[in-house]
Amino acid sequence: MASLLRPTMRLCFAAPSKRLLSTSSPAAASVFAPLARKPVQSAFVRDALPAMRVAPFHASARRPILPPLPQKIEGTVNQPAPVPDPVPAHGSYHWSFERVVAASLIPLTVAPFAAGSLNPVLDATLCSLLLIHSHIGFEAMIIDYFPAKRVPIVRRSLMWILKGFTLAVAVALYQFETNDVGLTEAIKRVWTA
């Protein structure tokens, strides 16, 4: 058993080369100084040292995957950032509406399954609130990740795509509710299948 562990132990506790100690920072030399007394015992460990030398002290340039978005500087350093006019529809009312929609989804999701009766009005309300909740969430992601000042065309395009998908899903849910079994009944059938 001890013979199986020796190569691994040699790899873990191998001494750094003299070149590493001479080219490294003084802090690195002080860390590796106690290990420098023990010679490297195998070719595998000696070949692994360049990789071990690069990894702890790696400081490469940052290379982003995509190029940066177009930048435009407005004003000077001493000018404050413009503060938009307060609009309650985009501020507190919008925030409150989002929270009411999210909170009302909880009882509307549980009620059809707990009560055992299927009400088309309750089902339609659940579908509507799910659609509004999803639309608000995707709209918030577009607003966060695609700023209007940096990529106005992309943001406008994504907003129109979102509106188109929301309308298509609304029509599909309406057709499913009126011409088929409805959302909650479909979930019940899938759950018990």
Side-chain angles (χ1 to χ4, degrees):
M1 182 70 175
S3 63
L4 293 174
L5 295 176
R6 279 190 199 127
T8 309
M9 292 175 70
R10 267 188 267 149
L11 176 63
C12 295
F13 298 107
S17 65
K18 291 181 182 178
R19 194 172 109 200
L20 172 64
L21 293 176
S22 63
T23 59
S24 300
S25 65
S30 66
V31 169
F32 286 116
L35 297 175
R37 291 183 211 115
K38 188 175 181 181
V40 176
Q41 296 178 1
S42 71
F44 177 73
V45 173
R46 186 178 62 243
D47 295 339
L49 275 176
M52 291 171 53
R53 181 172 49 237
V54 172
F57 306 106
H58 192 61
S60 66
R62 183 171 167 249
R63 294 187 181 120
I65 295 172
L66 297 173
L69 295 171
Q71 309 260 338
K72 183 180 176 187
I73 299 172
E74 296 177 3
T76 65
V77 176
N78 295 325
Q79 291 177 340
V83 178
D85 296 329
V87 180
H90 293 291
S92 60
Y93 294 157
H94 186 264
W95 187 87
S96 301
F97 178 71
E98 286 177 351
R99 298 311 171 270
V100 167
V101 167
S104 62
L105 279 173
I106 297 168
L108 280 174
T109 305
V110 175
F113 303 108
S117 64
L118 297 174
N119 187 348
V121 175
L122 186 69
D123 210 22
T125 306
L126 175 64
C127 287
S128 301
L129 287 178
L130 277 172
L131 188 64
I132 291 169
H133 181 71
S134 301
H135 180 83
I136 289 172
F138 281 114
E139 185 180 42
M141 284 191 285
I142 291 171
I143 289 170
D144 287 345
Y145 291 110
F146 299 97
K149 284 187 176 184
R150 294 180 74 189
V151 283
I153 296 170
V154 173
R155 180 174 175 169
R156 201 174 312 119
S157 302
L158 288 174
M159 286 293 198
W160 279 107
I161 290 170
L162 175 65
K163 290 174 185 174
F165 274 112
T166 303
L167 183 64
V169 170
V171 170
L173 282 173
Y174 175 76
Q175 291 294 328
F176 190 63
E177 289 293 321
T178 55
N179 299 331
D180 210 338
V181 294
L183 184 66
T184 53
E185 180 63 28
I187 292 171
K188 274 187 178 180
R189 289 182 183 181
V190 168
W191 190 264
T192 57

